[in-house]
Amino acid sequence: MTSDSERVLEKQRWKFAIFVPFIVCVLWILCFALERGMDWDFRKGGIYPRKLENIWSIFTYTFIHANWKHLINNVFSFYILGICLYYFYSEVANRVLITSAVLSGFILWCIGRESYHIGASGIIYSLAFFLFFSGIIRKHIPLIAISLIVVFIYGSMVWHLFPWLPDDPVSWEGHLSGAVTGIILAFVYRHRGPQPPEPEWEEEDDNDGEENYDQEQWEEEE
């Protein structure tokens, strides 16, 4: 009976981990398709740093993409990282996802160059750095394994955190903002979600101790 209930819970856990990131990706795709299909321009929904009347864009910039390639790359990366987040850190996944979008957007609004910044790269970098540092901080073998997988697949992301080219159109500030956010969230939620199992100590057999004591006392009396 227990194994059946565990199987049901495991199935629900997988459904939850697959469904939520899928919905987010669908919203991004629909938003981009609407923009192109109606010949609209959503660029002003992107973040324009230190422009107070534009600060509301920290809630919208992740839905806007430059082209299909930009969109597909973000959707693919986010979906993989999102599944890892919602499967292994289901207890805090919603908070991490929402905070990743808003906090990385706010940091970008503070430090970005004067231009419109669009795309979901901030969320992707935040999730990648959260998954990596959470596994290291918690010292839990399954989570450390996820950290290593993230490094193996997305290790090259580190090179896009800094402005290597002066006229690079890619928003390295958005990447850096996401990375900082992910590290912060890994520390903030280090006591929430999965934790390493408590070490099991072998309890001494009190009866054996009493028998040894009685035997020693009897030998002294002899």
Side-chain angles (χ1 to χ4, degrees):
M1 191 70 177
T2 305
S3 60
D4 290 339
S5 61
E6 287 177 354
R7 253 186 253 112
V8 171
L9 289 174
E10 183 70 11
K11 189 179 292 186
Q12 290 176 347
R13 191 177 172 188
W14 270 113
K15 285 181 180 178
F16 184 64
I18 293 171
F19 179 73
V20 177
F22 176 77
I23 292 298
V24 175
C25 291
V26 168
L27 291 175
W28 289 347
I29 294 170
L30 289 177
C31 185
F32 183 80
L34 179 64
E35 179 187 12
R36 292 307 170 93
M38 300 299 293
D39 197 23
W40 293 338
D41 186 3
F42 288 167
R43 190 179 306 171
K44 289 189 177 180
I47 291 176
Y48 199 97
R50 295 170 299 283
K51 193 175 181 182
L52 194 58
E53 61 268 27
N54 181 259
I55 195 170
W56 55 268
S57 61
I58 64 177
F59 300 103
T60 60
Y61 75 105
T62 59
F63 292 89
I64 305 166
H65 294 83
N67 48 53
W68 280 108
K69 182 181 179 182
H70 185 207
L71 174 66
I72 291 171
N73 287 340
N74 281 348
V75 164
F76 181 74
S77 297
F78 171 79
Y79 193 60
I80 294 175
L81 294 170
I83 290 175
C84 292
L85 174 69
Y86 274 87
Y87 182 79
F88 292 99
Y89 297 91
S90 56
E91 183 181 340
V92 297
N94 287 329
R95 296 181 184 181
V96 169
L97 179 60
I98 295 171
T99 308
S100 292
V102 177
L103 182 56
S104 64
F106 179 73
I107 296 174
L108 174 58
W109 185 84
C110 293
I111 69 171
R113 74 191 97 164
E114 293 185 355
S115 177
Y116 281 104
H117 298 257
I118 59 175
S121 298
I123 292 180
I124 292 167
Y125 270 77
S126 180
L127 297 190
F129 276 74
F130 172 81
L131 291 170
F132 174 75
F133 281 96
S134 288
I136 301 301
I137 292 170
R138 295 166 194 258
K139 298 178 181 179
H140 188 20
I141 292 176
L143 301 181
I144 292 175
I146 294 300
S147 299
L148 296 177
I149 292 173
V150 169
V151 169
F152 179 76
I153 299 177
Y154 298 103
S156 61
M157 294 173 68
V158 176
W159 300 110
H160 300 286
L161 294 175
F162 307 102
W164 299 109
L165 300 174
D167 298 324
D168 190 358
V170 177
S171 176
W172 64 267
E173 301 99 318
H175 299 167
L176 181 61
S177 301
V180 171
T181 300
I183 295 172
I184 292 173
L185 292 177
F187 280 95
V188 169
Y189 291 112
R190 65 188 182 277
H191 299 306
R192 299 288 299 275
Q195 301 292 332
E198 294 291 335
E200 295 182 0
W201 302 97
E202 292 184 2
E203 296 182 0
E204 295 182 0
D205 193 335
D206 295 337
N207 293 330
D208 290 344
E210 291 176 0
E211 291 176 0
N212 292 336
Y213 174 78
D214 292 341
Q215 185 177 2
E216 292 174 0
Q217 187 179 20
W218 180 77
E219 288 176 353
E220 289 177 1
E221 291 175 356
E222 286 291 319

